[in-house]
Amino acid sequence: MTDPIGVWVGAILTLLVFSYLLGDTPLFRVAQAIFVGVAIGYAISAAVYLILLPLLFDPLIINPVMNSYLVIPLILGLLLLLKLRTAWAPVGNLSIAFLFGVGSALALGGALDGTLLPQLSAIVVPLDSLENVLLVAGTLGALLSFRFIQPQSGRFGARVVETVARGWGAFGRWFVMIALGALFASVAVSRISLLVNRVYFLLHDWLQIVK
Amino acid sequence: MRWLATSVAIAVGLITLLDYFFDVPILDALGVAFRQWTIILTAFALLLGVINLLQVHLRRIIRRDEASAGYSLIVVVTATLVASAGLWFGLPSEPMTWVFENLYVPLQGAFFALVAFFLATAAYRALRARNLETTWMLIAALVVLLGQTPLLGVLTDAREWVLNVPSTAGVRGILIGVALGTLATALRLLIGMDRPYSE
């Protein structure tokens, strides 16, 4: 970043955000408002230039006959915008229903193919080392720890299964807690890296007192 | 109107799902079209959200009776300026790259960096060894955190082991649970048991 105006703007905005360390100051709120404004402006530009123009309006204008089927998403999109008025909002439900239909099908396929099958196949390992035993027992235990079923009473077999599942689930909760601790530490490290980056920017790029 | 929305959701959902599992030309064509329309509709949904947000802020400015009217004015002015520049110059363009590099990136970086301080206070509260479970969490966090510092190189192997074995097992259990939950929710939507779009 060699642009001096850009460096000054970036440094002032960084200091505005860091003013929160002194409390919820008006300066911090100004930074928040600018951030929201910039994000909105950028999102509008991205939606228009990266999606609406190349995928909808350009094909419709260039070759309306060949791309006449694009009238359907155009109508659905306009129906969606009717949600801005409370009285007309139910008309927009059709577009929301379309999004939910396609979205749920993609989520189902993605969860099955992208998460469930790869993760299940990853725990099919030979139990020939302590690591593999812990991986399998921990994964199943972590899954059992999220089991919220009313305890079975009555039959002896059901009570045994319940006791084993509860014990294994309690064991699995240790693995969940270890995972959460590791995730917490990873997030902390990434945020500290960002903090170092911002401080370096202030001292190196802006004040130029650090080489 | 409600039956129409439910029919649309079930029909497009089933066609997209069938396209996912079967290689049939007509299903492929419909699946591709539906995915493209979804992207277009998402852009319209984004515009809907943005317009709604701007309406809320404009209402605050017009009323002038709220303490946050000044901040709302900043939101509206900044959004208008950036959107105008974006729509005028296009994306990607030099002015928008300047906005991204000198406004968006510093602000986002500073906001996320601020989280480091809150994480420190959260760590003090969350990572106290109250029982065996929180003790495991504390140990894992300390090993992963300190294992990255060059001063405590002996913890590097321990960090790798924690990340590769118990942490992976825990995360894998959570992921399988999330995937099962996603499957159940998606199936309920696809067979019309849940109809959030009709509310």
Side-chain angles (χ1 to χ4, degrees):
Chain A
M1 202 184 288
T2 49
D3 170 26
I5 299 170
V7 170
W8 270 87
V9 170
I12 290 167
L13 291 175
T14 304
L15 290 176
L16 288 181
V17 174
F18 284 169
S19 72
Y20 192 76
L21 296 172
L22 304 172
D24 192 6
T25 62
L27 295 175
F28 176 74
R29 294 204 169 195
V30 167
Q32 262 185 327
I34 294 173
F35 185 57
V36 173
V38 171
I40 291 172
Y42 209 87
I44 293 172
S45 313
V48 170
Y49 274 96
L50 302 179
I51 299 175
L52 291 178
L53 281 180
L55 295 183
L56 182 66
F57 292 115
D58 283 350
L60 269 177
I61 292 165
I62 293 165
N63 197 343
V65 180
M66 271 287 286
N67 299 307
S68 55
Y69 67 96
L70 285 175
V71 171
I72 300 170
L74 178 63
I75 292 169
L76 286 174
L78 294 174
L79 290 180
L80 195 60
L81 291 180
L82 290 180
K83 277 199 163 286
L84 284 166
R85 286 199 68 160
T86 317
W88 298 343
V91 184
N93 285 349
L94 205 62
S95 315
I96 300 285
F98 183 89
L99 283 175
F100 267 102
V102 178
S104 56
L106 292 178
L108 197 149
L112 197 66
D113 220 14
T115 307
L116 200 58
L117 294 178
Q119 294 299 336
L120 284 176
S121 61
I123 58 167
V124 183
V125 287
L127 300 176
D128 54 0
S129 65
L130 177 68
E131 277 82 5
N132 283 359
V133 172
L134 283 174
L135 262 175
V136 176
T139 303
L140 295 176
L143 203 55
L144 283 171
S145 73
F146 292 112
R147 183 176 150 277
F148 301 105
I149 297 174
Q150 200 68 15
Q152 296 272 326
S153 57
R155 286 194 306 121
F156 176 72
R159 271 185 284 141
V160 170
V161 169
E162 175 60 34
T163 309
V164 171
R166 201 184 302 162
W168 201 343
F171 173 68
R173 205 169 295 126
W174 295 355
F175 287 81
V176 173
M177 296 308 271
I178 290 171
L180 293 179
L183 284 174
F184 185 90
S186 303
V187 172
V189 168
S190 71
R191 297 299 177 259
I192 291 166
S193 304
L194 271 171
L195 181 63
V196 170
N197 176 272
R198 281 292 92 201
V199 173
Y200 181 76
F201 166 75
L202 290 175
L203 299 179
H204 176 263
D205 294 25
W206 185 46
L207 296 174
Q208 298 181 349
I209 55 176
V210 169
K211 289 283 176 192
Chain B
M1 199 66 191
R2 197 172 281 186
W3 66 268
L4 185 63
T6 309
S7 311
V8 166
I10 293 173
V12 297
L14 288 178
I15 290 170
T16 311
L17 196 62
L18 289 173
D19 170 45
Y20 198 86
F21 290 108
F22 301 105
D23 192 16
V24 181
I26 182 76
L27 286 178
D28 287 347
L30 283 171
V32 169
F34 286 170
R35 283 195 291 277
Q36 192 184 0
W37 297 359
T38 303
I39 295 168
I40 294 168
L41 275 181
T42 311
F44 275 106
L46 184 82
L47 289 182
L48 174 73
V50 165
I51 295 168
N52 186 256
L53 191 77
L54 289 175
Q55 275 183 340
V56 170
H57 284 287
L58 281 171
R59 229 173 278 145
R60 278 186 192 168
I61 295 165
I62 291 164
R63 279 186 201 150
R64 287 188 192 174
D65 55 353
E66 290 184 46
S68 53
Y71 303 117
S72 293
L73 185 67
I74 296 172
V75 171
V76 173
V77 170
T78 318
T80 310
L81 285 175
V82 176
S84 306
L87 295 175
W88 183 261
F89 293 105
L91 200 75
S93 63
E94 207 175 312
M96 288 309 279
T97 307
W98 191 92
V99 165
F100 190 79
E101 283 180 355
N102 298 302
L103 293 176
Y104 191 81
V105 170
L107 279 168
Q108 193 192 35
F111 276 117
F112 278 121
L114 208 56
V115 175
F117 294 100
F118 302 125
L119 279 174
T121 54
Y124 176 72
R125 268 180 259 145
L127 296 178
R128 269 183 291 185
R130 287 185 296 267
N131 51 41
L132 192 56
E133 289 174 1
T134 47
T135 308
W136 284 123
M137 192 159 111
L138 172 68
I139 292 169
L142 284 177
V143 168
V144 172
L145 207 57
L146 298 176
Q148 286 205 329
T149 56
L151 283 173
L152 292 163
V154 284
L155 283 177
T156 309
D157 290 342
R159 175 182 170 275
E160 289 298 311
W161 189 83
V162 166
L163 287 176
N164 290 335
V165 182
S167 176
T168 300
V171 169
R172 198 163 274 161
I174 294 170
L175 281 176
I176 293 172
V178 169
L180 288 173
T182 309
L183 281 179
T185 310
L187 276 175
R188 285 176 68 90
L189 279 163
L190 281 176
I191 59 174
M193 273 176 79
D194 283 343
R195 282 172 284 184
Y197 39 80
S198 296
E199 286 162 7

